[in-house]
Amino acid sequence: MNMKWKARALRMGELYVEKSSLTYQNNVGEHLWIPMWATALSGGGYNILIDTGIHDLKWVKENICPCRQQSDEIITEALRQGVGWTPEDVDIVINTHLHYDHTGNNNLFSNARFIVQKKEWEAANNPIPCQESIYLKKLFDSSAVNYFNWRFVDGEEEIVPGVKVFLTPGHSDGHQSVLVNTEEGNLCVSGDVANLLENIHENIPAGILTCTKEMYGSMEEVRKRAEFILPGHEYSIEKYQNCNFPLIKS
């Protein structure tokens, strides 16, 4: 079945970060606002959401970095304006990984099946010390998501026709990216294997990572599989954009 999906970018707010946290050992001392993206997939018989943003603006400001969020960047309103959904309408949530800014609203999707890599689940429940602060267990444990609603995948797997996940470790041990068959071609919703287009175009790993070598391999996997990309924090993407995503080969 050659299912064609429509992807729509939903902005979940912005973080104020040092750019070197996105571009390994480059741009030290340069700060910028970066968006956090969730992605809604429609048109293939299921309502699919990739990542769920942040749970609490105040918590992020106090524990991570400066953060701002407009009213239509709160997930319930972003879904309503972007695709006309309520959380109850979402059938599948794919978490690229389980960091706080990708799982913040998992608890709202009571009707959804959740997809994550088995390796990521294990890493999130026993994180290495430098990642302890960016995993927040209450966002993905049984108080947020019924354990039996999780589907743990191991590597590459087609979730539904036209939507496939594949392992892209490096930013976290079990990070995955999502390959989506769209009318324009294969789109990779990359999560944080590519925070910015610079990462994929210039072969620069992210600054937050568990393994630099794995990150290089993961970026190459993205280049081999997809024509277009929606990076996890790319600032050239427009709110609610649903076509003309950036080319992987610049």
Side-chain angles (χ1 to χ4, degrees):
M1 184 182 296
N2 191 22
M3 189 67 70
K4 302 294 186 182
W5 291 81
K6 179 72 75 175
R8 189 175 293 270
L10 306 177
R11 192 159 71 183
M12 300 284 96
E14 295 176 292
L15 303 171
Y16 190 65
V17 301
E18 185 171 350
K19 194 175 179 182
S20 63
S21 68
L22 310 171
T23 54
Y24 184 72
Q25 295 186 357
N26 291 273
N27 311 109
V28 174
E30 179 181 344
H31 288 76
L32 75 168
W33 286 99
I34 57 167
M36 298 170 281
W37 293 112
T39 306
L41 304 181
S42 60
Y46 299 89
N47 294 337
I48 300 176
L49 184 65
I50 304 172
D51 292 331
T52 66
I54 58 170
H55 72 295
D56 181 59
L57 186 64
K58 183 173 181 288
W59 182 90
V60 177
K61 288 179 177 179
E62 291 177 352
N63 292 277
I64 304 295
C65 65
C67 183
R68 63 191 183 191
Q69 188 178 50
Q70 297 177 22
S71 60
D72 66 343
E73 295 169 353
I74 296 169
I75 196 161
T76 50
E77 190 62 17
L79 284 170
R80 187 186 71 80
Q81 292 197 30
V83 283
W85 298 349
T86 68
E88 290 76 21
D89 295 325
V90 175
D91 302 304
I92 298 170
V93 172
I94 301 174
N95 288 133
T96 58
H97 57 304
L98 297 177
H99 289 168
Y100 76 95
D101 54 328
H102 296 259
T103 59
N105 296 290
N106 278 10
N107 66 302
L108 298 181
F109 300 95
S110 56
N111 295 330
R113 174 61 58 92
F114 287 77
I115 311 295
V116 76
Q117 291 283 331
K118 179 182 177 183
K119 286 183 178 179
E120 181 66 7
W121 182 261
E122 293 169 349
N125 282 283
N126 188 28
I128 60 175
C130 67
Q131 294 219 351
E132 286 179 352
S133 65
I134 51 179
Y135 284 116
L136 191 59
K137 289 185 179 180
K138 71 176 184 179
L139 301 180
F140 56 82
D141 68 12
S142 58
S143 66
V145 179
N146 186 317
Y147 180 80
F148 295 102
N149 287 347
W150 284 103
R151 175 178 168 189
F152 303 112
V153 298
D154 190 7
E156 182 174 329
E157 189 168 325
E158 187 173 60
I159 304 306
V160 296
V163 179
K164 179 184 293 186
V165 298
F166 61 103
L167 191 62
T168 48
H171 177 69
S172 67
D173 285 345
H175 188 285
Q176 65 183 354
S177 298
V178 187
L179 192 65
V180 184
N181 186 18
T182 74
E183 291 287 351
E184 295 179 323
N186 286 330
L187 169 69
C188 180
V189 181
S190 69
D192 289 351
V193 68
N195 293 302
L196 305 174
L197 278 174
E198 289 176 50
N199 299 116
I200 207 79
H201 284 172
E202 301 177 28
N203 205 32
I204 301 172
I208 298 172
L209 40 73
T210 55
C211 180
T212 310
K213 184 177 180 179
E214 285 185 339
M215 187 65 100
Y216 281 115
S218 294
M219 288 192 291
E220 186 57 30
E221 283 298 312
V222 170
R223 294 188 194 98
K224 287 192 297 187
R225 293 167 182 263
E227 302 159 79
F228 303 92
I229 190 167
L230 201 175
H233 298 285
E234 173 58 36
Y235 41 75
S236 69
I237 303 294
E238 296 181 3
K239 189 184 293 187
Y240 305 128
Q241 185 169 333
N242 69 351
C243 61
N244 299 318
F245 290 106
L247 285 164
I248 284 180
K249 295 181 180 178
S250 59

